[in-house]
Amino acid sequence: MSEIVDILISASFWAAVIRIASPLILATMGELICERAGVLNLGIEGIMVIGAFTGWMAVYQGMPLWGGVAVAMAAGMLFGLLHSVLTVPFGLSQHVVGLGVTLLATASASFAYRLMLPQVTSPPKITPFQPLYIPGLSDLPWLGAALSQTALTWAAFAVAGLVAFTLYRTPLGLALRAVGENPAAVEAQGLSVTGLRMGAVIVGSGLMAVGGAFLTLSAFSSFFFEMVNGRGWICIALVVFGAWKPGKAVLGAILFAAFDALQIRLQQTALGAVLPYQLFLALPFLLSILALILMSRRAEVPAALMVPYNKGER
Amino acid sequence: MRLETIPNPSAARKVGLPALALLATLGVAMLLALIAGANPFAVLGQIARGALGSKLAILETLNRATPLIFTGLAVAVAFRAKLWNIGAEAQLYAGAIVAVVLGTGALGSPLVLPVSAGAAMLAGAALLLGPVLLKTRLGVDEVVTTLLLNFIMLLFVSYLLEGPMKDPMGMGWPKSPALIPEARLPRIVEGLRLHWGFALAIIAAVAVWVIQTRTTLGFEIRAVGQNPEAARFAGMPVNAVLVKTALLSGGLAALAGWSEVAGLKGHLSSDLSPGFGYTGIIVAMLALLHPLGVVVTAIFVAGIFVGSDAMSRAAGVPTYIADMLLATALLFMVLAILLTKMRVVRG
């Protein structure tokens, strides 16, 4: 038991929590924007893969790290465009299109990887984002170590703040929330439901891809085929857990990351010697299911989520 | 723009648009071949020859189609009721585990094959029951829970293969012991590498077709899928129908894993399925959720995979071209199907 307490009070544990939470926050914000506008985006898993791949490949080809982030975002927005064209004006099944986009994006990353690096057995490394030194803050005894994070992590939290501000404090945010609740009323205001929804899916997909790029550009320094490993699906659960609210979703991501960081450390303890390591690895997925069950009764689902809108139909 | 229902779509529209979707996919294939620096026509030819060019190639394609028929049927049955079972991958492994548990000496001939097939179906059905009860009782979206269960199941298989189910003679490889000969599905024709799993898959497709067209359950599944509120209003036990659908769907997906172990591989390893569960979604959608169509599209999809493997060795175009083409075909096809019923008008 004292082992767990030692872990929980160490600065390195909390540094890991914030690091693990960062890609989840970015992708969860992306999914949250889509869903608040009424579109479930199951392309998230594949869009994270394409973001991880394109961001890494751009940097490997000589672009600066922020250039890699921009390339990843653009690639994500491209797949977001594909998703939104099919689901918004054409109103196709968001389940089927989302899974199709995930399959297409994942396959595209694998295809491009093999094409560009045909002979490579272990993927080449890039120099990832380094922890930022913040004068004053970084010198503090415990906090300095816990907040020793890369610029992309700080950006993730800034994005979450920006999403919350936009959704609740701007006319655009009001329109986006309304389009996920009552699209006909938005149309009656003279706004374009199609435009708002497509925009939300495209921007949201861009954020998902940046979340994927975090893995290759900040967390690790290479691209592996299985590296996203269900994080996209976990983010969908986090949106539900956060009751479609940015602040709660960020808290959910941090809570979730804390469990993830804890399970990695518990594997090194006496507990890890007794229990199979697969049980620890399954913990994030089990927790996600548990979160969905706990929130099922309380969540306020956007009323028009997964309901396509066709002008002239009532 | 907006969409408008076409009162009486012409036959040309109904056939032409899906055909156009397949042609467009072919166009994407040629484009990808060009990007990879290969001759597009040669690549298409090599895929076709690799899939169907010899007796060996055809048998390989049919073997690869077998699990896809099962997972395709599982998805088709579930999607018909708008039950989004994306967990065929996990249910497949549930069936594979049962094949090993009962097939390595626990039961002997003649009981072992029928009992393990039945038990495999039960295991797959049980695995889908949880997400469906969460959906009907608590309103938890089954897409996410079934997806998450896929990851949990793969970790469970990894645990089994490194622990209790590890083959002591496996030279350290994480694989299960081999099935006893009595627990193996025999080959359909002696000397040809095609096992009875393929025949069973076709029988399953016919059985599902009969259920869907000739039974009350089939009628209820369609009604629930088309409009659950109307079905409930008409006095149908919607939740009970969903549970029955789930049992059928999970059972069918489990047979995919069961027949791969009992028919093809003879043991369980964690690379048993290269995503057959997910590919089943493409198979089912291309077949427009028709059970007999699933047999055709499963063979088509398997042919693309087998043919791409052969083409990749010869032309150097990455084998992932197959996954890209199938995802493209899926997206084109759902759009084409919509446009057979609706047209785009300005305004």
Side-chain angles (χ1 to χ4, degrees):
Chain A
M1 220 43 218
S2 72
E3 270 176 325
I4 297 183
V5 175
D6 284 343
I7 292 172
L8 288 179
I9 59 169
S10 71
S12 69
F13 170 76
W14 287 100
V17 170
I18 297 169
R19 191 169 58 238
I20 295 170
S22 305
L24 299 177
I25 289 173
L26 285 163
T28 303
M29 287 305 123
E31 182 69 34
L32 189 139
I33 296 174
C34 299
E35 294 193 20
R36 280 312 279 262
V39 182
L40 173 75
N41 190 345
L42 292 181
I44 184 169
E45 178 84 6
I47 290 172
M48 288 183 80
V49 175
I50 205 78
F53 170 74
T54 52
W56 169 78
M57 184 49 90
V59 173
Y60 178 64
Q61 302 284 349
M63 283 184 96
L65 284 164
W66 285 108
V69 173
V71 167
M73 181 145 193
M77 290 172 88
L78 204 63
F79 280 95
L81 176 68
L82 173 68
H83 186 289
S84 65
V85 166
L86 294 174
T87 53
V88 181
F90 286 109
L92 289 168
S93 157
Q94 294 174 10
H95 285 115
V96 175
V97 170
L99 292 166
V101 167
T102 278
L103 293 171
L104 184 62
T106 310
S108 304
S110 306
F111 183 79
Y113 178 92
R114 270 285 156 255
L115 205 59
M116 297 170 102
L117 303 164
Q119 307 296 341
V120 170
T121 44
S122 69
K125 286 185 184 310
I126 53 144
T127 310
F129 279 101
Q130 301 299 316
L132 277 187
Y133 178 79
I134 301 163
L137 187 66
S138 296
D139 298 324
L140 293 174
W142 186 89
L143 212 56
L147 293 180
S148 164
Q149 303 289 347
T150 68
L152 211 46
T153 289
W154 294 105
F157 282 88
V159 162
L162 190 67
V163 168
F165 178 81
T166 310
L167 273 181
Y168 292 106
R169 296 273 185 276
T170 66
L172 174 66
L174 181 64
L176 272 179
R177 284 183 291 135
V179 91
E181 297 287 344
N182 189 349
V186 174
E187 194 81 45
Q189 296 277 317
L191 295 168
S192 162
V193 172
T194 308
L196 281 165
R197 284 191 167 170
M198 286 184 68
V201 173
I202 292 169
V203 171
S205 301
L207 287 182
M208 295 168 191
V210 175
F214 184 95
L215 299 174
T216 46
L217 300 182
S218 187
F220 309 98
S221 49
S222 284
F223 172 78
F224 306 97
F225 281 169
E226 307 292 334
M227 76 187 308
V228 174
N229 193 25
R231 279 184 179 83
W233 311 131
I234 287 169
C235 289
I236 291 191
L238 283 174
V239 173
V240 180
F241 182 72
W244 286 267
K245 295 185 174 65
K248 281 189 181 175
V250 168
L251 283 181
I254 291 173
L255 184 69
F256 189 87
F259 273 104
D260 205 17
L262 187 65
Q263 64 87 6
I264 298 166
R265 281 156 183 77
L266 283 181
Q267 286 186 46
Q268 322 294 328
T269 65
L271 214 56
V274 186
L275 297 170
Y277 71 91
Q278 290 94 347
L279 184 65
F280 293 99
L281 292 178
L283 206 60
F285 303 111
L286 291 165
L287 275 174
S288 298
I289 294 180
L290 189 68
L292 288 171
I293 296 171
L294 287 177
M295 297 309 289
S296 62
R297 286 280 185 222
R298 283 185 284 163
E300 295 132 45
V301 190
L305 181 61
M306 289 191 271
V307 184
Y309 179 74
N310 194 12
K311 250 186 289 183
E313 257 179 28
R314 288 289 177 269
Chain B
M1 64 166 269
R2 62 191 177 85
L3 296 171
E4 193 180 79
T5 310
I6 303 169
N8 291 307
S10 66
R13 200 178 175 96
K14 279 194 216 161
V15 180
L17 280 166
L20 198 66
L22 288 181
L23 269 180
T25 308
L26 218 58
V28 172
M30 295 172 73
L31 189 71
L32 290 173
L34 269 179
I35 292 173
N39 177 341
F41 293 100
V43 164
L44 289 185
Q46 278 161 337
I47 292 180
R49 261 202 309 285
L52 304 165
S54 65
K55 198 167 80 176
L56 207 68
I58 293 173
L59 289 174
E60 180 60 27
T61 297
L62 295 182
N63 263 331
R64 191 79 68 96
T66 302
L68 292 177
I69 297 175
F70 283 122
T71 55
L73 287 173
V75 172
V77 164
F79 279 25
R80 181 69 78 185
K82 295 247 164 64
L83 176 72
W84 305 103
N85 174 18
I86 321 294
E89 192 77 4
Q91 293 138 26
L92 177 152
Y93 275 106
I97 291 170
V98 169
V100 173
V101 168
L102 296 179
T104 44
L107 287 173
S109 181
L111 270 179
V112 55
L113 273 173
V115 170
S116 81
M121 287 188 79
L122 281 179
L127 197 60
L128 185 52
L129 196 59
V132 169
L133 288 179
L134 285 178
K135 174 197 170 84
T136 55
R137 298 286 168 89
L138 297 171
V140 177
D141 186 15
E142 73 279 19
V143 173
V144 191
T145 46
T146 52
L147 273 168
L148 292 167
L149 275 175
N150 289 342
F151 290 86
I152 295 170
M153 183 51 114
L154 268 177
L155 286 164
F156 181 61
V157 168
S158 153
Y159 158 71
L160 286 179
L161 295 180
E162 289 176 21
M165 209 178 254
K166 188 182 165 112
D167 181 7
M169 317 296 275
M171 315 286 251
W173 281 104
K175 67 184 199 66
S176 79
L179 265 57
I180 55 171
E182 294 82 1
R184 295 291 304 269
L185 280 166
R187 293 179 174 188
I188 296 177
V189 179
E190 200 49 54
L192 288 186
R193 196 170 163 270
L194 183 68
H195 58 84
W196 268 95
F198 180 72
L200 277 177
I202 291 180
I203 294 169
V206 174
V208 169
W209 178 69
V210 169
I211 290 174
Q212 284 193 340
T213 54
R214 302 272 187 278
T215 68
T216 320
L217 177 63
F219 172 72
E220 287 176 335
I221 288 176
R222 255 198 323 277
V224 167
Q226 272 161 7
N227 191 339
E229 279 76 38
R232 191 169 284 126
F233 188 70
M236 255 175 225
V238 171
N239 286 351
V241 171
L242 283 176
V243 168
K244 283 184 214 163
T245 308
L247 296 178
L248 187 58
S249 172
L252 285 164
L255 282 181
W258 177 82
S259 90
E260 282 298 276
V261 170
L264 197 65
K265 297 281 171 73
H267 66 264
L268 173 61
S269 57
S270 55
D271 61 354
L272 181 75
S273 163
F276 288 136
Y278 300 102
T279 311
I281 299 167
I282 298 178
V283 167
M285 292 308 296
L286 290 182
L288 312 183
L289 307 186
H290 193 293
L292 300 181
V294 161
V295 175
V296 178
T297 54
I299 294 172
F300 171 74
V301 167
I304 299 228
F305 277 120
V306 173
S308 295
D309 281 349
M311 178 280 300
S312 184
R313 283 191 295 273
V317 176
T319 158
Y320 296 105
I321 193 174
D323 302 87
M324 286 190 75
L325 290 182
L326 293 172
T328 311
L330 170 72
L331 293 174
F332 279 149
M333 192 56 93
V334 286
L335 183 61
I337 298 305
L338 175 84
L339 292 177
T340 57
K341 290 172 287 191
M342 314 272 269
R343 67 173 156 235
V344 179
V345 290
R346 288 170 147 264

